[in-house]
Amino acid sequence: MTDAHVGGAAQACPLRFDIGGMHCAACSSRIERVTGRLPDVEKVSVNLATARAEVWPAPGDAEAVRREFMAAVARLGFTATPAVNEDAEARFAEAKAKARADRKKRLGRLWPMVILSVPLLLVSMGHMLGLPLPAWLEPHGSPRAFILVQLGLTLPVVWLGRHFYVDGLAALFRRSPNMDSLVAVGTGAAFLYSLVNTALGLMGNDPAWRAMNLYYESCAVLLTMIEFGQFLEATAKQRAGDAMGALMSLAPETALRLASPDATPDEVPLSAVEVGDLLLVRPGGRVPVDGTVEKGVSAVDLSLLTGESIPVPVAPGDSLTAGSVNGEGPLVMRAMAVGGNTRLARIVRLVQEAQGSKAPIARLADRVSYYFVPAVMALAAFSALCWLFFSAEPVTTALTVFVAVLVMACPCAMGLATPMSVMVGTGRGAQLGVLIKNGAALERAGKITALAVDKTGTLTTGRPELTAIIPLAPGADGLDERELLGLAAALEGRSEHPLGLAIIRAGKERDCPLCVVEDARIAPGLGIEGRVGLAGKSWNVAVGSAAFMRSRGHELSPEVAARLDALAGEGQTPLLMSLAPAETEDGVAAADQMVAIFALADGLRPESAAVVKRLRGMGLRVVMLTGDNARTAEAVAKLAGIDDVAAGLLPAEKADHVRRLQEEGQVVGMVGDGLNDAPALALADVGMAVGTGVDVSAEAGDIVLMRGGMEAVLAALELSRATMRNIKENLGWAFGYNILGLPVAAGLLHVFGGPMLSPMIGGIAMALSSFSVVSNALRLRFFKVKTRVE
């Protein structure tokens, strides 16, 4: 059993906090490690991308843990406020507003910094590039003017970038240095060195030499470039929530409420709609809330919710989902779920929780980030001292190395590598109808080696049809086929099994007589039995598989067994029906008799065979686990191209089969309907539940497929692999950049006669490093199922 399926009550309801003041992975890692050691805290997860922390308290006083956590975070120099607003839409709007405000603030600082830094760079470095300076500004002829102009241009830039010093030095003094600390120490050292030379030069101490040994341009340009990099990062981060924004926009802001089906509609805010209200959905309009059709016939487009492009026909009695688009016919609907209880709202909450979760692969980056900044500071000091004492280079070389190492390091890229990819990947999955509940499930799905699939609704259409009613015995007291079907359909009305739904549909189509169910008992995976009334008389009715009938004491005659085998060989699923009067004249209960076979056929989905072939080409072992009889299962498996079949399984036996696959060393994914398959879904390394129910978040799986079929499974697996590939690319870039860049910044190339790395080049690389990681993660927004079967 995987970690995702254990953890107890403490894992079920974490405390959530919004964290303020985090600037890089070193911040989130430190908060996580320090607060994770609190005595009443079992686990802490801090997400840099969403600026949110989840705390799992030990059993006891949760309020005390809340206060203790907030105090511990405050001691580290950050803020932690309880996330009281758990409304997904409000949280999203708040996060977007904060992101916009942050971007606007950075842009407001960036423009004047650029305007000041460009002339500073030209003044300080122009003469090296052959650009002439006027005589009054020439460093050899007018060194004091040269010094003062640079100082005048640098001071406003330092003031505009003062947040680096305020936050970075404060973190350093608290012994929890972060990225801002690296920037503050590096640029601060360059500025102070230049300031000392400025003072000495102005006092007449070799002003020409002092003028040529200023590092003002390094300080100002570095601050400007890092501000520019963070502006680009903030801009890119805004786009990371595009998928969530698209989901949010599916629900209209208003609805057309009706006093009666034929009344004139009244336009009201969506928040004013209540359960039971009648609403009009015009052609082309969005369905405002979940409900049922009261009047009208149309087709609704669910593609933005499920990824399914084919519109679904609806008529009176059919369900409607908020966010779907009505076709050409007007519909009158009755609201059944509103506000946060709609299916769309649950999807949004599920995606939002997934985006705030961490994948296990992030632990490596978190561990490295915790020690990264102190290690970089030590490396910078060590490198500078080595150049100062063990080389003939001037003191300026040691200063250059010190500054370059500090500004070259980029812990942010490591911290953003995983959460940004998880955020974008889960959002894109939601657009494709694949809801991934957390980062751990996303990571495990990419490692699946064996895929166990239920037959009905996954390989097949999930909409079996009644093809024949075969009478068996004259024990039905004169009941004809329509009456037998009416009894079975009424009883199956208490079940949600696809085969039972087929009998119900057949009963409606054949206009069977109305029957009243007085009692019903379901045997999961086997059948249903109960007491049904027809025309004033009660019957004990049972409908189910051959195993169900045997469990009730019936022996199958050779003729019946042969008939069942023949149907199964044709790919049809037979259900047996037994019947007996519930009351007899002498008061003695009559023994029931098997009276009919219902033959049902569930056709293979057109894409199933091609997708199974692709899955096998990806190296997966595909296994069919079904409660259907072996002959039917083998016929369907042959059409789908599956060799490994286990049929006639009860729910517990499906779980046993999953366990055996795991014992063979397989990483097992299970696809099922979340009801009969719940034990197997829970046991599998990754459970993929077909989300046909209204309460999507209550499905048993780690991944919820909003539409049935193997194509949805393929989308989930390919998205997982693409996201993990993206995370590894990000981590590879983040670690590779630092591993290769830091030695170069420390002067490794110069030791062998190469150039020294300019701190400005290092600053530009640092500024663009995080942006490159975020931009790479954003590529997942355009993910498509490459092996899509049309």
Side-chain angles (χ1 to χ4, degrees), residues 475-658:
D477 287 355
L479 296 179
D480 59 24
E481 283 188 10
R482 286 179 61 253
E483 290 170 323
L484 291 176
L485 179 58
L487 289 169
L491 187 61
E492 291 287 3
R494 300 298 179 91
S495 166
E496 292 185 359
H497 195 280
L499 296 178
L501 296 177
I503 292 177
I504 295 169
R505 285 194 300 272
K508 290 180 180 178
E509 291 167 2
R510 303 188 189 189
D511 197 23
C512 292
L514 183 65
C515 301
V516 179
V517 178
E518 299 169 6
D519 179 37
R521 296 172 299 282
I522 298 173
L526 290 172
I528 186 170
E529 60 182 329
R531 188 171 174 175
V532 185
L534 170 63
K537 189 172 182 179
S538 292
W539 300 87
N540 288 325
V541 183
V543 180
S545 64
F548 183 51
M549 291 302 167
R550 290 192 190 97
S551 71
R552 302 182 78 256
H554 291 287
E555 291 295 331
L556 303 185
S557 66
E559 293 80 6
V560 171
R563 184 63 65 91
L564 295 180
D565 284 343
L567 290 170
E570 297 167 5
Q572 300 193 63
T573 301
L575 290 181
L576 292 160
M577 178 180 184
S578 68
L579 189 71
E583 299 170 358
T584 58
E585 294 180 1
D586 56 8
V588 179
D592 60 348
Q593 290 181 296
M594 288 189 294
V595 294
I597 299 174
F598 295 110
L600 301 109
D602 184 12
L604 192 72
R605 287 179 179 268
E607 77 277 8
S608 289
V611 174
V612 168
K613 183 178 179 181
R614 292 301 308 168
L615 290 171
R616 294 176 71 170
M618 291 164 63
L620 271 68
R621 174 182 172 186
V622 183
V623 182
M624 180 198 287
L625 304 182
T626 179
D628 214 338
N629 67 75
R631 291 288 299 279
T632 302
E634 286 167 4
V636 173
K638 185 177 181 181
L639 292 173
I642 298 175
D643 301 323
D644 201 341
V645 182
L649 301 178
L650 296 174
E653 292 172 331
K654 287 186 180 182
D656 289 339
H657 204 92
V658 168

Side-chain angles (χ1 to χ4, degrees), residues 16 128 210 270 273 277 302-303 318 328 357 371 458 464 564 613 653 655 710 740 747 758 770 773 775:
R16 293 184 174 90
M128 298 180 185
R210 302 291 177 186
L270 191 62
V273 176
D277 284 350
L302 289 161
S303 58
D318 289 333
E328 297 180 356
S357 67
Y371 301 105
T458 304
L564 295 180
K613 183 178 179 181
E653 292 172 331
M710 291 299 289
L740 296 176
S758 166
S770 296
V773 166
S775 298

Side-chain angles (χ1 to χ4, degrees), residues 307-310 606-608 610-611 711 784-790:
E308 180 58 68
S309 58
I310 301 174
E607 77 277 8
S608 289
V611 174
E711 202 171 20
K784 292 182 180 178
V785 185
K786 296 177 183 177
T787 50
R788 180 175 178 82
V789 181
E790 298 296 344

Side-chain angles (χ1 to χ4, degrees), residues 378-403:
L379 175 64
F382 176 76
S383 302
L385 290 172
C386 286
W387 282 105
L388 188 63
F389 293 112
F390 302 109
S391 77
E393 298 282 343
V395 67
T396 53
T397 300
L399 178 63
T400 299
V401 166
F402 182 72
V403 176

Side-chain angles (χ1 to χ4, degrees), residues 26-85:
C27 303
S28 58
S29 296
R30 185 157 187 83
I31 294 172
E32 205 167 88
R33 279 184 173 254
V34 172
T35 58
R37 298 192 193 109
L38 295 174
D40 296 320
V41 171
E42 288 195 351
K43 177 184 170 186
V44 176
S45 176
V46 182
N47 190 305
L48 175 63
T50 59
R52 175 162 281 214
E54 291 188 338
V55 181
W56 285 263
D61 187 358
E63 187 57 38
V65 173
R66 191 190 305 274
R67 291 193 300 268
E68 192 177 5
F69 178 83
M70 292 169 63
V73 172
R75 287 194 295 272
L76 293 173
F78 306 96
T79 61
T81 55
V84 292
N85 190 0

Side-chain angles (χ1 to χ4, degrees), residues 194-520:
S194 303
L195 201 59
V196 170
N197 277 339
T198 295
L200 294 173
L202 293 176
M203 289 188 294
N205 187 336
D206 197 355
W209 185 88
R210 302 291 177 186
M212 297 304 295
N213 283 275
L214 299 177
Y215 278 83
Y216 284 131
E217 83 285 347
S218 291
C219 172
V221 173
L222 282 173
L223 290 175
T224 302
M225 289 309 302
I226 293 166
E227 188 69 51
F228 176 62
Q230 292 187 351
F231 168 75
L232 290 178
E233 181 186 321
T235 303
K237 276 183 179 180
Q238 273 190 276
R239 292 158 59 196
D242 284 354
M244 179 68 78
L247 283 175
M248 296 283 191
S249 65
L250 292 183
E253 295 182 358
T254 60
L256 299 174
R257 187 160 57 189
L258 300 168
S260 67
D262 300 315
T264 302
D266 230 357
E267 188 169 9
V268 297
L270 191 62
S271 58
V273 176
E274 298 179 356
V275 173
D277 284 350
L278 284 176
L279 306 172
L280 173 66
V281 185
R282 287 175 174 154
R286 290 199 178 278
V287 177
V289 296
D290 291 354
T292 55
V293 178
E294 292 283 315
K295 182 181 178 183
V297 176
S298 185
V300 294
D301 181 359
L302 289 161
S303 58
L304 288 176
L305 278 173
T306 67
E308 180 58 68
S309 58
I310 301 174
V312 178
V314 292
D318 289 333
S319 297
L320 293 174
T321 302
S324 54
V325 180
N326 186 24
E328 297 180 356
L331 294 173
V332 175
M333 65 173 292
R334 189 172 297 279
M336 304 301 290
V338 300
N341 295 320
T342 64
R343 195 181 192 194
L344 175 61
R346 290 190 175 99
I347 292 171
V348 169
R349 279 199 298 272
L350 189 62
V351 174
Q352 207 166 49
E353 288 171 7
Q355 290 184 337
S357 67
K358 277 191 175 183
I361 196 172
R363 293 170 188 158
L364 173 62
D366 288 346
R367 282 196 297 270
V368 172
S369 299
Y370 182 73
Y371 301 105
F372 183 78
V373 174
V376 167
M377 287 186 161
L379 175 64
F382 176 76
S383 302
L385 290 172
C386 286
W387 282 105
L388 188 63
F389 293 112
F390 302 109
S391 77
E393 298 282 343
V395 67
T396 53
T397 300
L399 178 63
T400 299
V401 166
F402 182 72
V403 176
V405 170
L406 290 175
V407 299
M408 187 76 179
C410 189
C412 256
M414 290 186 291
L416 291 171
T418 300
M420 287 304 300
S421 297
V422 169
M423 178 181 290
V424 180
T426 52
R428 179 59 182 151
Q431 291 179 320
L432 295 173
V434 177
L435 302 184
I436 302 167
K437 291 189 175 181
N438 51 63
L442 183 67
E443 181 174 337
R444 286 197 307 273
K447 299 176 181 177
I448 289 175
T449 59
L451 185 68
V453 297
D454 188 29
K455 176 177 72 69
T456 306
T458 304
L459 290 166
T460 63
T461 62
R463 190 179 171 90
E465 301 292 338
L466 181 67
T467 59
I469 301 175
I470 304 166
L472 292 179
D477 287 355
L479 296 179
D480 59 24
E481 283 188 10
R482 286 179 61 253
E483 290 170 323
L484 291 176
L485 179 58
L487 289 169
L491 187 61
E492 291 287 3
R494 300 298 179 91
S495 166
E496 292 185 359
H497 195 280
L499 296 178
L501 296 177
I503 292 177
I504 295 169
R505 285 194 300 272
K508 290 180 180 178
E509 291 167 2
R510 303 188 189 189
D511 197 23
C512 292
L514 183 65
C515 301
V516 179
V517 178
E518 299 169 6
D519 179 37

